[in-house]
Amino acid sequence: MAGPALKRLMAEYKQLLQDPPEGIMAGPVSDENYFEWEALIPGPEGTFFEGGIFPTKLTFPSDYPLSPPKMVFTCEMFHPNIYPDGRVCISILHPPGDDPMGYETSAERWSPVQSIEKILLSVMSMLAEPNDESPANVDAAKTYRENRDDFKRRAQILARKTLGID
């Protein structure tokens, strides 16, 4: 199955090179391995994460695009939808089909029509608008809900750290 997956990944990389989403850089770690990517996601303007450049890693399964990649922030993060170890928890990266918990519709979850660009844009949107209803990081969700000023302060510290300022 890796043949079709590799072709798809190569095509998506070519598309990202020709028409990259504003501010986002992404691509394979090496020409020898298109199944491991690195991406830099800017903190969206007008948000708590503004000004930061957040490094991530995407790992694609051999049956991509039938199954979604896994995505992890490789820098320190404090966000309701990012586990403390950096793993991203967002509907678009959840396996296709019905949600066993009944929280998401199948239309919100992964499908082969999704793309790396859509993932990156969704994660950027997630940074701008956290979902604290179904948190991956309960402490971050609680802080976001109950002490927005502290959440903002922590997010801004993290944004500066990505630039090597703090």
Side-chain angles (χ1 to χ4, degrees):
M1 191 69 182
L6 180 59
K7 281 178 123 168
R8 168 76 179 256
L9 288 166
M10 291 172 83
E12 288 197 52
Y13 181 48
K14 183 178 179 185
Q15 176 62 33
L16 283 170
L17 289 174
Q18 290 174 344
D19 188 21
E22 188 174 335
I24 295 176
M25 295 190 318
V29 173
S30 74
D31 289 337
E32 288 80 44
N33 185 1
Y34 270 73
F35 290 87
E36 297 284 334
W37 284 41
E38 293 174 325
L40 295 173
I41 299 176
E45 200 172 302
T47 73
F48 300 148
F49 295 94
E50 181 177 9
I53 305 290
F54 300 92
T56 66
K57 182 178 176 183
L58 291 116
T59 306
F60 295 88
S62 61
D63 67 345
Y64 180 80
L66 300 177
S67 297
K70 299 207 179 318
M71 185 173 188
V72 63
F73 278 86
T74 57
C75 62
E76 183 183 350
M77 288 299 286
F78 186 73
H79 189 283
N81 309 115
I82 301 169
Y83 287 98
D85 67 2
R87 287 177 296 137
V88 175
C89 181
I90 189 171
S91 299
I92 193 174
L93 292 177
H94 293 161
D98 293 326
D99 178 7
M101 306 300 277
Y103 180 72
E104 304 163 328
T105 67
S106 60
E108 295 172 297
R109 295 167 69 90
W110 180 258
S111 81
V113 299
Q114 304 292 7
S115 66
I116 298 166
E117 179 180 3
K118 286 180 185 172
I119 293 167
L120 297 171
L121 291 172
S122 294
V123 170
M124 202 164 130
S125 177
M126 175 198 77
L127 289 177
E129 298 175 28
N131 174 2
D132 62 352
E133 308 254 332
S134 175
N137 183 326
V138 175
D139 185 37
K142 187 173 191 268
T143 303
Y144 182 75
R145 269 195 300 266
E146 297 174 5
N147 190 342
R148 201 61 64 94
D149 288 340
D150 187 41
F151 184 86
K152 177 181 179 180
R153 180 187 62 76
R154 291 175 79 165
Q156 290 173 337
I157 287 169
L158 293 173
R160 286 193 303 272
K161 276 186 178 180
T162 67
L163 303 174
I165 296 173
D166 275 352

